[in-house]
Amino acid sequence: MNAYHDNAQVELLREAGMTEADIAHSRLVAGIAVGLGCLARVAVDLTLVALGALFHDLGKVRTDGILHGVEGARLGRHLGLPHAVLDIMEKHVRAGVPLEQAAHYGLPPRDFSLASLEEKLVIYADKLADMVEEPGLVVSVGEARLRFARILEERADLAKDEATRARYLACAAEVEELLR
């Protein structure tokens, strides 16, 4: 088990009704995000990164739609998760939607823009995990990192739409710059 999360937290996800597939995905995201965070040239709250990654898809116990981030944060509040973790949960959907685009996506009228490096690490790791989990797309996280922009250009299902793709690319560029 990762030093930044434990079996008790995974058990909380199970008790909340998360599927084993979603738990496996969340654990992969946590591993990638913490691994990238360890490489950063600046201080990173690795505990926050791990918790945000582990709980980011909690809302999928209620909906698979765009509101799963908002629903997850609502559930997370009841679990007593820290506010910074709730922010990651809410903002990870569509890579941090700004206020002026929230209504377009059917989100509440709030600014979901990414603010912290920890948020960006989780969002980037989530998309990298999606690429790794897609059969035959990439063989490793390293390959996903190298081919990130091209994959999002070629795979509309992963990019979602042009505005979301731009947010994913900006997030990835910022994180990668801190890893050099």
Side-chain angles (χ1 to χ4, degrees):
M1 179 60 66
N2 186 305
Y4 293 96
H5 61 270
D6 60 31
N7 287 326
Q9 292 158 343
V10 172
E11 196 51 42
L12 268 178
L13 296 174
R14 283 190 183 103
E15 288 171 10
M18 242 175 125
T19 67
E20 289 302 317
D22 284 338
I23 291 170
H25 168 75
S26 294
R27 292 177 77 178
L28 176 61
V29 173
I32 293 169
V34 169
L36 292 174
C38 287
L39 299 174
R41 293 180 287 114
V42 296
V44 174
D45 183 340
L46 296 175
T47 301
L48 171 58
V49 168
L51 286 172
L54 194 62
F55 284 92
H56 81 281
D57 274 344
L58 178 62
K60 287 190 173 183
V61 304
R62 294 230 173 113
T63 178
D64 280 333
I66 193 147
L67 291 175
H68 78 270
V70 172
E71 286 297 318
R74 187 173 294 135
L75 291 168
R77 271 186 216 66
H78 293 296
L79 294 175
L81 294 176
H83 183 74
V85 173
L86 302 176
D87 281 347
I88 290 171
M89 295 166 74
E90 282 191 332
K91 294 177 180 184
H92 88 277
V93 177
R94 298 287 179 123
V97 177
L99 173 61
E100 62 274 8
Q101 294 176 10
H104 168 75
Y105 292 110
L107 291 168
R110 287 202 302 272
D111 189 355
F112 293 90
S113 298
L114 305 180
S116 72
L117 174 57
E118 289 81 6
E119 292 167 353
K120 293 169 188 174
L121 280 164
V122 174
I123 276 70
Y124 184 39
D126 187 26
K127 192 51 57 178
L128 290 169
D130 289 344
M131 292 174 180
V132 169
E133 292 169 326
E134 182 73 24
L137 187 59
V138 296
V139 296
S140 68
V141 173
E143 182 184 356
R145 288 173 64 194
L146 288 172
R147 296 185 49 221
F148 192 79
R150 173 156 309 234
I151 291 169
L152 289 182
E153 183 179 312
E154 295 170 353
R155 294 285 305 269
D157 59 322
L158 293 174
K160 308 292 187 195
D161 61 36
E162 204 48 46
T164 302
R165 182 169 89 72
R167 288 191 298 274
Y168 280 130
L169 292 174
C171 179
E174 189 171 332
V175 170
E176 288 292 343
E177 180 61 31
L178 295 173
L179 304 180
R180 295 194 222 308

